[in-house]
Amino acid sequence: MTNLIDSYLLKSGMPKEELCLIGRTKRAFYYYGMAVMSAAAVTLLTLGVIKILG
């Protein structure tokens, strides 16, 4: 997943030096952290809507 996002960022105009400066490990923690937080938000939103409708 990190390679996919990195290639997207490079294609969209982010300088390669900036990606190297951030570091692969920090980017991976950020990407996976965002994915987990997004999944939690969608779950809580879905449970809230079900509770309102139910």
Side-chain angles (χ1 to χ4, degrees):
M1 184 169 112
T2 305
N3 288 336
L4 181 67
I5 296 172
D6 287 349
S7 63
Y8 170 75
L9 289 173
L10 289 171
K11 287 180 185 175
S12 66
M14 179 177 254
K16 188 174 184 176
E17 296 81 23
E18 191 172 339
L19 280 178
C20 291
L21 185 69
I22 295 170
R24 182 173 175 79
T25 305
K26 287 181 185 175
R27 287 194 315 273
F29 277 119
Y30 176 76
Y31 299 152
Y32 288 113
M34 288 299 287
V36 168
M37 292 298 287
S38 298
V42 168
T43 301
L44 291 174
L45 184 65
T46 303
L47 291 174
V49 168
I50 290 172
K51 186 168 184 149
I52 288 171
L53 295 177

